[in-house]
Amino acid sequence: MSNEETPEPTPAQSPHRDSAAKPAPGPQPEPTPGAEPQASAPTGRQRLLAGLWPPRVTRAQLIVAVLLFGLGLGLAIQVRSTSDTGALRGARQEDLVRILDELDDRTQRLEDEKARLEAQRTELENSSDQAEEARRQTLEKERQLGILAGTVAAQGPGITLTIDDGAGAVESDMLLDAIQELRAAGAEAIQVNGVRVVADSYFSGDAGDIEVDGRKIKAPYRFKVIGKPQDLEPALNIPGGVVQTLEKEQATATVTRSKKIVVDALRPAERPDYARSSSQ
């Protein structure tokens, strides 16, 4: 027998033992004083706010904003103009015809005025003595204004309206209505019983005691009117007009056309108290 001692067998290791040793149970070590805590990662809202503010405007974004503003302004103007013309869509056919007629008349008057001014300009340009031509036109304009103001006598075609008031029932407002109808028909110069009727003339008094601009007139009342006879006479004879109204008051109205009517009653030229020419 050998005297060598046989070594004691070692315990067998378990094949399922963990490769990492588990921490020993017990209290964990406290952090070292003075050590700074690690910063936490920013949230999604914070990243969104950081991307939106402060705003960063590029040149391309500014150009697009200006173009969009211009487009919006153009659309607003288009809508405004469309709404302005929408009022005519609901108008009646008679009203539309009347509006067109008025526009045509206004256009024709403007065209006539344009032609007259161009003719005057041509005369001034072609005249050998432009100063004399300008003086002549000024005098002609003065005569025209004098006719309207009643400071210059006038003659031309027209009518004579004679009103016989045997019953003494013609009132001053009836004579004023006759003046208004004549003016609306295109009368250019009017006188009644030797009194020149102008823009500021007035009729006052009762039947049989009528005054024109403070001057008393008596029947028969004789109107001398310069204008186009074909327009003046029908204006007085329309149904329900001046002639029929006077006949209801037992008065007789007679209208006579003439190729030459002389209106020679004059009014003194008065200087206005306050109004002055804007060229002064």
Side-chain angles (χ1 to χ4, degrees), residues 204-265:
S204 60
D206 299 326
D209 188 20
I210 298 177
E211 295 182 354
V212 180
D213 296 337
R215 296 177 58 180
K216 183 176 293 186
I217 59 175
K218 295 182 179 180
Y221 307 110
R222 188 181 303 275
F223 291 65
K224 300 174 71 175
V225 186
I226 296 178
K228 188 176 180 180
Q230 294 84 352
D231 295 338
L232 298 175
E233 182 179 3
L236 298 175
N237 290 308
I238 60 175
V242 174
V243 173
Q244 288 191 0
T245 302
L246 292 172
E247 289 177 351
K248 291 179 181 179
E249 300 297 334
Q250 306 301 318
T252 303
T254 304
V255 180
T256 304
R257 297 187 184 186
S258 178
K259 294 182 179 181
K260 182 178 180 181
I261 297 291
V262 178
V263 175
D264 52 5

XYZ file of all heavy atoms in Angstrom, residues 204-265:
465
model
N -95.547 136.724 -56.857
C -96.213 136.845 -55.560
C -97.564 137.519 -55.758
O -97.887 138.025 -56.834
C -95.351 137.651 -54.577
O -95.117 138.962 -55.084
N -98.372 137.511 -54.682
C -99.685 138.157 -54.726
C -100.804 137.181 -55.022
O -100.584 136.016 -55.365
N -102.036 137.684 -54.887
C -103.228 136.891 -55.138
C -103.779 137.190 -56.530
O -103.244 138.025 -57.267
C -104.291 137.195 -54.077
C -103.800 136.852 -52.678
O -103.048 135.873 -52.560
O -104.144 137.578 -51.721
N -104.858 136.488 -56.869
C -105.485 136.679 -58.179
C -105.913 138.137 -58.348
O -106.509 138.743 -57.460
C -106.685 135.753 -58.314
N -105.571 138.699 -59.505
C -105.900 140.087 -59.783
C -104.922 141.076 -59.203
O -105.022 142.279 -59.474
N -103.978 140.614 -58.391
C -102.995 141.511 -57.770
C -101.636 140.793 -57.739
O -101.054 140.564 -56.685
C -103.439 141.891 -56.362
C -102.552 142.971 -55.756
O -101.871 143.678 -56.528
O -102.508 143.079 -54.511
N -101.128 140.464 -58.926
C -99.915 139.660 -59.043
C -98.719 140.573 -59.313
O -98.814 141.564 -60.052
C -100.068 138.620 -60.174
C -101.216 137.654 -59.840
C -98.774 137.841 -60.385
C -101.490 136.628 -60.919
N -97.588 140.205 -58.709
C -96.344 140.934 -58.900
C -95.253 139.984 -59.372
O -95.216 138.816 -58.972
C -95.902 141.613 -57.600
C -96.852 142.704 -57.124
C -96.339 143.381 -55.865
O -95.303 142.916 -55.323
O -96.954 144.364 -55.422
N -94.362 140.514 -60.240
C -93.183 139.777 -60.694
C -91.966 140.566 -60.249
O -91.776 141.707 -60.678
C -93.179 139.588 -62.222
C -91.940 138.806 -62.656
C -94.431 138.895 -62.694
N -91.182 139.973 -59.372
C -90.004 140.642 -58.808
C -90.374 141.990 -58.194
O -89.634 142.978 -58.302
C -88.919 140.824 -59.880
C -88.384 139.490 -60.382
O -88.493 138.494 -59.647
O -87.859 139.457 -61.513
N -91.549 142.033 -57.566
C -91.984 143.254 -56.909
C -92.667 144.260 -57.813
O -93.115 145.316 -57.330
N -92.819 143.958 -59.103
C -93.481 144.871 -60.051
C -94.846 144.290 -60.407
O -94.969 143.139 -60.814
C -92.628 145.038 -61.312
C -91.294 145.703 -61.045
C -90.445 145.787 -62.305
N -91.122 146.521 -63.369
C -90.612 146.742 -64.566
N -89.398 146.250 -64.861
N -91.281 147.414 -65.471
N -95.878 145.119 -60.240
C -97.245 144.656 -60.437
C -97.536 144.510 -61.938
O -97.173 145.359 -62.752
C -98.227 145.636 -59.813
C -99.680 145.207 -59.914
C -100.596 146.181 -59.194
C -100.348 146.125 -57.693
N -101.329 146.951 -56.949
N -98.220 143.410 -62.278
C -98.657 143.178 -63.649
C -100.156 142.886 -63.633
O -100.692 142.397 -62.639
C -97.885 142.003 -64.299
C -98.084 140.707 -63.499
C -96.399 142.333 -64.414
C -97.459 139.487 -64.150
N -100.810 143.181 -64.733
C -102.254 142.981 -64.833
C -102.580 142.133 -66.065
O -101.810 142.075 -67.021
C -102.980 144.326 -64.915
C -102.841 145.187 -63.659
C -103.627 146.491 -63.800
C -103.518 147.350 -62.545
N -104.280 148.610 -62.668
N -103.752 141.522 -66.027
C -104.216 140.733 -67.170
C -104.562 141.673 -68.318
O -104.986 142.818 -68.099
C -105.412 139.896 -66.766
N -104.416 141.244 -69.562
C -103.933 139.911 -69.960
C -102.428 139.780 -69.753
O -101.678 140.726 -69.960
C -104.311 139.824 -71.436
C -104.305 141.249 -71.909
C -104.764 142.062 -70.743
N -102.024 138.570 -69.369
C -100.613 138.293 -69.129
C -99.999 137.776 -70.427
O -100.412 136.760 -70.978
C -100.471 137.254 -68.016
C -101.205 137.628 -66.756
C -102.349 136.922 -66.364
C -100.788 138.700 -65.969
C -103.036 137.263 -65.217
C -101.491 139.051 -64.818
C -102.599 138.333 -64.444
O -103.291 138.681 -63.310
N -98.970 138.510 -70.881
C -98.364 138.185 -72.170
C -96.916 137.706 -71.942
O -96.076 138.462 -71.461
C -98.385 139.392 -73.098
C -97.939 139.070 -74.539
C -97.977 140.341 -75.384
N -99.297 140.919 -75.370
C -100.291 140.569 -76.185
N -100.089 139.605 -77.084
N -101.453 141.169 -76.109
N -96.684 136.441 -72.304
C -95.350 135.838 -72.185
C -94.688 135.870 -73.563
O -95.224 135.309 -74.522
C -95.442 134.385 -71.719
C -95.903 134.200 -70.307
C -97.178 134.564 -69.928
C -95.062 133.645 -69.362
C -97.612 134.375 -68.633
C -95.496 133.456 -68.062
C -96.773 133.824 -67.690
N -93.506 136.484 -73.653
C -92.707 136.461 -74.876
C -91.504 135.569 -74.607
O -90.683 135.873 -73.734
C -92.284 137.871 -75.265
C -93.478 138.787 -75.518
C -93.054 140.223 -75.762
C -92.375 140.373 -77.094
N -92.062 141.798 -77.402
N -91.426 134.472 -75.352
C -90.465 133.408 -75.038
C -89.640 133.107 -76.279
O -90.189 132.878 -77.364
C -91.188 132.127 -74.567
C -90.167 131.099 -74.098
C -92.196 132.456 -73.468
N -88.302 133.065 -76.100
C -87.392 132.689 -77.181
C -86.928 131.261 -76.942
O -86.478 130.910 -75.849
C -86.188 133.643 -77.254
C -86.661 135.057 -77.618
C -85.174 133.153 -78.280
C -85.530 136.073 -77.655
N -87.055 130.444 -77.969
C -86.669 129.043 -77.889
C -87.172 128.320 -79.124
O -87.625 128.935 -80.099
N -87.099 127.016 -79.102
C -87.554 126.214 -80.236
C -89.072 126.071 -80.153
O -89.591 125.435 -79.232
C -86.893 124.842 -80.206
C -87.156 124.009 -81.448
C -86.377 122.709 -81.375
C -86.621 121.853 -82.620
N -85.870 120.584 -82.562
N -89.821 126.663 -81.112
C -91.284 126.617 -81.019
C -91.842 125.198 -80.988
O -92.846 124.939 -80.322
C -91.745 127.378 -82.271
C -90.578 128.231 -82.663
C -89.372 127.451 -82.273
N -91.200 124.278 -81.721
C -91.693 122.903 -81.769
C -91.613 122.210 -80.410
O -92.292 121.201 -80.191
C -90.903 122.094 -82.808
C -91.097 122.552 -84.236
C -90.188 123.719 -84.597
O -89.512 124.302 -83.739
N -90.166 124.065 -85.872
N -90.817 122.734 -79.489
C -90.726 122.166 -78.142
C -91.548 122.966 -77.130
O -92.104 122.383 -76.186
C -89.266 122.114 -77.680
C -88.426 121.163 -78.522
O -89.013 120.253 -79.156
O -87.193 121.341 -78.568
N -91.620 124.262 -77.317
C -92.284 125.120 -76.335
C -93.804 124.943 -76.354
O -94.440 124.789 -75.291
C -91.926 126.590 -76.583
C -90.442 126.953 -76.447
C -90.213 128.401 -76.844
C -89.965 126.706 -75.026
N -94.398 124.943 -77.539
C -95.863 124.859 -77.620
C -96.400 123.536 -77.086
O -97.336 123.522 -76.264
C -96.323 125.082 -79.058
C -97.846 125.062 -79.196
C -98.286 125.321 -80.625
O -97.404 125.446 -81.501
O -99.508 125.395 -80.863
N -95.847 122.358 -77.476
C -96.370 121.109 -76.915
C -96.220 121.015 -75.403
O -97.027 120.373 -74.736
C -95.532 120.031 -77.628
C -95.075 120.671 -78.885
C -94.848 122.098 -78.540
N -95.183 121.643 -74.838
C -94.994 121.585 -73.390
C -96.133 122.264 -72.644
O -96.478 121.870 -71.519
C -93.664 122.222 -73.011
N -96.743 123.272 -73.241
C -97.860 123.969 -72.590
C -99.190 123.253 -72.805
O -100.116 123.406 -71.996
C -97.966 125.399 -73.127
C -96.755 126.300 -72.865
C -96.941 127.641 -73.563
C -96.548 126.511 -71.372
N -99.285 122.462 -73.880
C -100.555 121.826 -74.241
C -100.635 120.359 -73.850
O -101.566 119.668 -74.286
C -100.789 121.950 -75.752
C -101.095 123.374 -76.165
O -101.982 124.031 -75.610
N -100.356 123.887 -77.140
N -99.717 119.869 -73.040
C -99.797 118.465 -72.631
C -101.032 118.255 -71.760
O -101.516 119.183 -71.100
C -98.527 118.047 -71.858
C -98.362 118.899 -70.600
C -97.306 118.139 -72.744
C -97.202 118.475 -69.734
N -101.617 117.045 -71.752
C -102.796 116.797 -70.915
C -102.505 117.081 -69.445
O -101.509 116.629 -68.890
C -103.075 115.302 -71.143
C -102.466 115.006 -72.475
C -101.259 115.875 -72.583
N -103.352 117.876 -68.841
C -103.160 118.260 -67.451
C -102.117 119.332 -67.257
O -101.726 119.605 -66.115
N -101.660 119.947 -68.354
C -100.614 120.953 -68.277
C -101.151 122.344 -68.015
O -102.253 122.555 -67.480
N -100.350 123.337 -68.428
C -100.653 124.735 -68.109
C -101.952 125.179 -68.757
O -102.820 125.785 -68.110
C -99.478 125.621 -68.561
C -99.837 127.093 -68.380
C -98.226 125.275 -67.775
N -102.142 124.898 -70.044
C -103.325 125.388 -70.757
C -104.599 124.802 -70.155
O -105.584 125.534 -69.893
C -103.208 125.057 -72.257
C -104.506 125.414 -72.979
C -102.031 125.802 -72.884
N -104.645 123.511 -69.907
C -105.845 122.894 -69.341
C -106.119 123.397 -67.929
O -107.284 123.597 -67.543
C -105.707 121.375 -69.337
C -105.814 120.747 -70.721
C -105.938 119.229 -70.655
O -105.947 118.633 -69.574
N -106.022 118.601 -71.826
N -105.086 123.628 -67.143
C -105.278 124.158 -65.788
C -105.895 125.551 -65.829
O -106.792 125.869 -65.025
C -103.937 124.185 -65.046
O -103.389 122.866 -64.993
C -104.107 124.710 -63.631
N -105.424 126.387 -66.740
C -105.973 127.740 -66.846
C -107.412 127.703 -67.342
O -108.263 128.492 -66.888
C -105.110 128.575 -67.784
C -103.696 128.893 -67.271
C -102.869 129.547 -68.376
C -103.757 129.801 -66.050
N -107.717 126.789 -68.258
C -109.096 126.706 -68.754
C -110.066 126.282 -67.662
O -111.234 126.689 -67.668
C -109.144 125.728 -69.921
C -108.465 126.268 -71.180
C -108.447 125.248 -72.309
O -108.803 124.074 -72.041
O -108.082 125.609 -73.444
N -109.604 125.487 -66.697
C -110.471 125.107 -65.577
C -110.821 126.308 -64.703
O -111.845 126.310 -64.023
C -109.784 124.031 -64.721
C -109.649 122.686 -65.416
C -108.949 121.689 -64.508
C -108.780 120.340 -65.197
N -108.070 119.359 -64.323
N -109.969 127.341 -64.726
C -110.226 128.556 -63.953
C -110.925 129.626 -64.799
O -110.889 130.808 -64.440
C -108.899 129.109 -63.416
C -108.142 128.152 -62.515
C -108.907 127.821 -61.242
O -109.725 128.653 -60.816
O -108.678 126.735 -60.690
N -111.547 129.204 -65.895
C -112.276 130.117 -66.786
C -111.367 131.151 -67.434
O -111.808 132.239 -67.799
C -113.407 130.822 -66.013
C -114.360 129.894 -65.299
C -115.039 128.914 -66.266
O -115.447 129.290 -67.358
N -115.152 127.645 -65.835
N -110.055 130.808 -67.568
C -109.118 131.689 -68.255
C -108.844 131.118 -69.648
O -109.013 129.925 -69.895
C -107.826 131.813 -67.477
N -108.433 131.994 -70.552
C -108.163 131.587 -71.929
C -106.667 131.729 -72.191
O -106.096 132.803 -71.963
C -108.952 132.447 -72.923
O -110.343 132.354 -72.631
C -108.697 131.989 -74.343
N -106.037 130.659 -72.670
C -104.609 130.666 -72.976
C -104.423 130.443 -74.465
O -104.923 129.468 -75.029
C -103.874 129.581 -72.187
N -103.702 131.352 -75.117
C -103.469 131.285 -76.554
C -101.966 131.239 -76.805
O -101.219 132.073 -76.275
C -104.069 132.496 -77.269
O -105.463 132.591 -76.952
C -103.904 132.372 -78.769
N -101.531 130.272 -77.621
C -100.110 130.109 -77.941
C -99.928 130.371 -79.426
O -100.607 129.768 -80.268
C -99.616 128.695 -77.583
C -98.127 128.554 -77.921
C -99.858 128.394 -76.111
N -98.990 131.272 -79.750
C -98.726 131.638 -81.142
C -97.234 131.472 -81.415
O -96.401 132.025 -80.683
C -99.142 133.086 -81.420
O -100.521 133.263 -81.072
C -98.941 133.424 -82.887
N -96.935 130.719 -82.476
C -95.541 130.561 -82.868
C -95.096 131.751 -83.700
O -95.886 132.374 -84.404
C -95.340 129.278 -83.668
C -95.652 127.997 -82.910
C -95.258 126.791 -83.750
N -95.630 125.533 -83.114
C -95.297 124.334 -83.569
N -94.566 124.242 -84.694
N -95.671 123.234 -82.936
N -93.772 132.027 -83.630
C -93.231 133.139 -84.405
C -91.767 132.851 -84.730
O -91.059 132.232 -83.930
C -93.344 134.458 -83.641
O -92.769 135.516 -84.392
N -91.353 133.311 -85.916
C -89.958 133.147 -86.300
C -89.049 134.187 -85.654
O -87.826 134.005 -85.629
C -89.819 133.244 -87.819
C -90.502 132.111 -88.571
C -90.286 132.246 -90.063
C -90.945 131.094 -90.820
N -90.727 131.212 -92.289
N -89.653 135.263 -85.138
C -88.841 136.300 -84.504
C -89.587 136.859 -83.303
O -90.637 137.489 -83.442
C -88.522 137.427 -85.492
C -87.627 138.519 -84.892
C -87.305 139.594 -85.916
C -86.414 140.676 -85.329
N -86.102 141.742 -86.319
N -89.033 136.606 -82.149
C -89.539 137.146 -80.885
C -88.459 138.063 -80.326
O -87.280 137.681 -80.257
C -89.862 136.030 -79.881
C -90.966 135.136 -80.417
C -90.247 136.612 -78.531
C -92.319 135.808 -80.499
N -88.856 139.246 -79.925
C -87.919 140.204 -79.360
C -88.185 140.322 -77.861
O -89.300 140.655 -77.445
C -88.050 141.590 -80.032
C -87.095 142.587 -79.384
C -87.771 141.476 -81.523
N -87.164 140.044 -77.087
C -87.218 140.194 -75.624
C -86.284 141.342 -75.283
O -85.061 141.185 -75.259
C -86.794 138.890 -74.914
C -86.736 139.109 -73.407
C -87.741 137.762 -75.256
N -86.860 142.518 -75.047
C -86.047 143.717 -74.836
C -86.152 144.286 -73.432
O -85.561 145.330 -73.139
C -86.427 144.795 -75.852
C -87.920 145.065 -75.885
O -88.650 144.490 -75.050
O -88.365 145.837 -76.751
N -86.920 143.664 -72.547
C -86.954 144.121 -71.157
C -85.634 143.744 -70.488
O -85.166 142.606 -70.617
C -88.120 143.474 -70.412
